[in-house]
Every structure is written in C-alpha cells, then in structure tokens.
Amino acid sequence: MSSAAAPTLSLPGDPPGGRRAAWVWGIGVAVYFVAIIFRTSLGVAGLDAADRFHVNASALSTFSILQLLVYAGMQIPVGLMVDRLGTKKVLTLGAVLFTLGQLGFALSPSYGMALASRALLGCGDAMTFISVLRLGARWFPARRGPLIGQVAALFGMAGNLVSTLFIARALHGFGWTTTFAGSSVAGVVVLVLLLLFLKDHPEGHEPPAAEHAGAAYVRKQIAASWREPGTRLGMWVHFTTQFPAMVFLLLWGLPFLVEAQGLSRSTAGELLTLVVLSNMAFGLVYGQIIARHHAARAPLALGTVTVTALLWASAIFYPGDHAPMWLLIVLCVVLGACGPASMIGFDFARPANPPERQGTASGIVNMGGFIASMTTLFAVGVLLDATDDNYRIAFASVFVLEALGVSQILRLHSRATHRERNHHVVSRVEAVHVPV
C-alpha cells in the first residue's frame, strides 16, 4: 500500500457515510440550526428587551448569562445522556424544551417570566450540538470528523444569520410577540422531522451496550474523560477562542456599535451579519485544513486568539471618539474566525476518547467557551453600569480570559499531542491485525 493511502485508513467498524448518512445527519443539523436561531434572537433584540422589561445593562445581560449558565451546566449531563440514551431521544427532548422556551419568551409579561423562558430555552439548546456531533460520529467515517464538525457549526451560524437578517426586521415590522411566537413554529417543524426520520446509527453499526446507570458509572465516565490531556486541552481551546464573537453576537455587539461607535441600527446589523458570513467562510477553510493537517490545530487556534485580541484592542482603544469603519469591518471579519477555531477543541478531544465516551468528552469541551462567554457577558454588564457606559473599560475584560486560556493551552499542548500519537499508533496496529 502506498503511503498516500495511509490518512484514509478506516478503522474497524467505521460507518460507511453516503447519502443516507447525509440525510439523517442533516435532520439533526436542522434541529441545531433552529436552536441557534432561538439562542441568538436576543442578540438583535437587546435594546427592545431593555425597553420592554424596563431593565438596565446588568439586568439585560442576565438574560444571556442565565441562558449560558444553564447551557454550560447541562453539558456534562447531556454528554452522559447522549452516551446512555442515544441521539434521537436527547434531540427530541431538546427540541421540545427550546420551542417552549421561545414561545414563553414571546408571551412573557414580566422580566421574571422572560428569564425563566430563556433558561428553558438554554436547557433545550444545550442538548443539540453534542447530539449532532455524536450523530455525525455514528454515521460518517472517523476521518471525516473535523470537516463534519465544522460543517455542523457552519449551519449553526446560518441560524445566526437568520436572526440578524430576519428576526431583527420582523421585530420592527411585526412587534415582539408576533416575531418570537411565529419563530417558535420552526421548532415544531424540526421536531416532527426528527421523530419521523432520524435514526441513531446505520444498520450493522450498533454501539456496544451501555453499562448500567448509576452514580459510579457517571463518575467513571467523567473522570476517565477528564484524565485525558486531549479533553482538557480541547476545553481550554474552546474556552479561549469562542467567547469574543459569542459576546459580540449574543448581546453586546449591537449596543457597542450603536452607542459607542455612533452607527445606525441598520449599519450595526449589517456588521453583525458580516461576522456570521465570515464565520461560515472560515468554517469551511478551517475544516479542510485540519482534516488534511492535524498539526495545524494549535497554530490555527493560537493564531486566531492573537489576531482577535489585536483587532479588539485596536477597535476599542482607537484614538478619537469612534473607530473608522474599515477597522470595524476588519474586526467583524476576524471575529468570524472565533467559532471555527473553537471547533478545534473537539478535534483534540475526539481522538483522545473511545466511542462510548465521546458524548461526555464533547460536553466537557463545550463547557469551555460558554463559561468564558457567560463570565464576560456578566463582566461587561457590570462594568458598563459601574463606568457610566464606558465600553473601552468594559470590553477590555476580554483580555483577562484570553490570557488565562492561552496559558493553559501552552501548558497542555505537548502532553496531549504526545498521548494522541500513542493512541494513533495503537489504533493502526489493531486495524492491521483485524481479520479481513
């Protein structure tokens, strides 16, 4: 066999992929797509929410903080649920919860009820992405993992695009209740699709029977995943890369562009759309690079963090009242790389864990960026209130978490890659000795 064929070596039991795999996986991605629309709809409605519920910046940030707190707190339980119950059951529950959350948000007459609705939405949203990653691993060959993950994230950003393009316009055209209640219909549509057509795995590729449930099993799964340096490295990569764009898109980007930079709401909305479009383009590029060159994972992640920090600092500390439009455009383009870079975290955790721990490991990784986002959303809100809306001081809080994350990535990288090489050698030897 030629050396060129080595990277496409399939391990025993690798799923075949193909059109049916794309169809089934596409249904799971559609559920994730709708969850992202619901998650990011507040990002274009922040000023409307402040007026509707008569709240200040700190209280407004609580919407997103609570949603992300629930999301992050659910990641390990959801990972365990996916490993134990399978994708279809978890996705079904998630779709029911995030649809009820979006509908409740539309009808909430008070700040407290709106908070409860966003928490319910966050709970359902938390069950989608890990399930989609697991679905892709069950239906496609392992070598397709990096690209499948990036494409799933790309469709998620398309959901963000729907928020910035359509939800924002609908709010001004139809009002709060009609917009949010009408969008909840999309949740019902994907729920019907997944109930009718989604399957956990192709025939002949059933996973091994799960161990008995119980506290000991849960502790074992979590501890075994956490012991892997690749899991911890993946979590810190996700932590460090994702949150600047998440904070910008989820809540504070529109107020920053309108109140601090003096742009109109329509122009600010166009810049948020640019972040989403850039994310989709970077997702395709990063997925292709990582699928071909695994050694590029850490340089891509650290490079993205560095460039993001430089552009962020240039925009918020620009001398003068407002940063020039060209700088804001470049910042938004670079912020688009944050989401694809965060997906690299899953590519460190995936080869470090066996199939029966993939959900748990993905849950640990996925906590990283959302913990960072939640922390920064809170810090920005508090600092804005404490400094009379000084965005330079508030947005500088980003650098603290980036510095922490980079230090952890550098600490864990060599240990994780050394262990991954050992896992790869063992897998190849086992594949060679499997009888044909």
Side-chain angles (χ1 to χ4, degrees):
M1 189 187 335
S2 67
S3 59
T8 61
L9 177 66
S10 295
L11 297 178
D14 241 3
R19 290 184 179 179
R20 185 162 183 240
W23 162 249
V24 174
W25 177 75
I27 294 171
V29 170
V31 178
Y32 176 57
F33 170 78
V34 173
I36 294 295
I37 295 175
F38 293 177
R39 179 201 299 173
T40 57
S41 57
L42 182 61
V44 295
L47 298 178
D48 299 85
D51 291 338
R52 180 179 176 86
F53 300 111
H54 310 292
V55 294
N56 60 14
S58 297
L60 182 61
S61 68
T62 304
F63 276 123
S64 296
I65 291 167
L66 178 62
Q67 185 178 331
L68 293 184
L69 178 64
V70 172
Y71 187 104
M74 286 289 292
Q75 288 310 293
I76 291 178
V78 167
L80 291 163
M81 288 170 64
V82 171
D83 287 338
R84 176 71 181 169
L85 302 176
T87 301
K88 184 169 185 173
K89 291 179 181 177
V90 178
L91 269 182
T92 299
L93 180 58
V96 169
L97 292 177
F98 68 60
T99 301
L100 290 175
Q102 185 78 342
L103 182 60
F105 196 57
L107 303 176
S108 294
S110 66
Y111 176 69
M113 288 190 66
L115 274 179
S117 296
R118 293 307 286 187
L120 189 64
L121 193 157
C123 187
D125 180 19
M127 299 180 181
T128 58
F129 190 62
I130 292 177
S131 297
V132 171
L133 289 179
R134 172 65 173 255
L135 195 66
R138 289 299 185 194
W139 280 90
F140 291 95
R143 66 180 182 275
R144 302 291 185 195
L147 184 59
I148 289 298
Q150 290 286 358
V151 171
L154 185 151
F155 278 99
M157 289 309 296
N160 203 326
L161 191 62
V162 170
S163 291
T164 57
L165 290 179
F166 299 108
I167 298 291
R169 293 178 183 177
L171 274 169
H172 298 292
F174 301 105
W176 180 280
T177 302
T178 301
T179 297
F180 283 102
S183 66
S184 66
V185 175
V188 178
V189 173
V190 294
L191 178 60
V192 171
L193 286 175
L194 78 89
L195 287 172
L196 290 177
F197 301 112
L198 191 136
K199 288 193 65 176
D200 284 348
H201 48 75
E203 290 81 3
H205 292 271
E206 292 78 6
E211 297 181 32
H212 64 278
Y217 169 72
V218 170
R219 287 195 298 269
K220 177 182 174 184
Q221 286 285 91
I222 296 173
S225 296
W226 183 255
R227 276 198 300 270
E228 292 291 345
T231 304
R232 301 198 302 278
L233 175 61
M235 186 196 73
W236 283 108
V237 167
H238 200 270
F239 177 101
T240 313
T241 52
Q242 186 203 45
F243 79 97
M246 179 72 75
V247 167
F248 201 80
L249 286 172
L250 201 59
L251 184 61
W252 291 121
L254 187 71
F256 167 74
L257 294 171
V258 173
E259 296 176 354
Q261 299 302 320
L263 302 181
S264 67
R265 288 180 64 138
S266 61
T267 303
E270 290 170 358
L271 287 176
L272 294 181
T273 303
L274 178 60
V275 177
V276 177
L277 292 173
S278 172
N279 183 294
M280 297 169 74
F282 274 112
L284 290 174
V285 173
Y286 279 26
Q288 293 286 355
I289 292 174
I290 295 167
R292 289 172 168 78
H293 309 287
H294 265 205
R297 291 173 299 176
L300 274 179
L302 292 172
T304 301
V305 173
T306 301
V307 176
T308 300
L310 289 174
L311 267 297
W312 192 273
S314 299
I316 66 174
F317 295 126
Y318 189 85
D321 293 334
H322 306 307
M325 179 59 72
W326 68 263
L327 180 56
L328 296 176
I329 290 173
V330 175
L331 171 65
C332 289
V333 170
V334 170
L335 285 175
C338 292
S342 73
M343 294 298 300
I344 296 171
F346 297 101
D347 293 317
F348 280 114
R350 187 183 299 110
N353 292 273
E356 63 271 15
R357 284 207 313 265
Q358 289 294 322
T360 306
S362 295
I364 293 172
V365 172
N366 212 25
M367 286 178 63
F370 289 93
I371 290 173
S373 298
M374 179 177 59
T375 304
T376 309
L377 283 167
F378 177 74
V380 169
V382 169
L383 289 170
L384 284 174
D385 285 339
T387 60
D388 195 23
D389 292 337
N390 188 322
Y391 279 89
R392 288 181 172 176
I393 295 175
F395 272 33
S397 59
V398 165
F399 304 125
V400 177
L401 273 73
E402 285 185 325
L404 171 63
V406 168
S407 68
Q408 295 300 314
I409 292 171
L410 295 175
R411 182 178 69 86
L412 289 164
H413 178 250
S414 60
R415 195 186 318 172
T417 51
H418 174 73
R419 189 167 176 84
E420 183 179 318
R421 280 194 295 268
N422 291 340
H423 278 308
H424 182 65
V425 170
V426 171
S427 297
R428 286 180 62 97
V429 169
E430 290 176 348
V432 169
H433 287 87
V434 169
V436 178

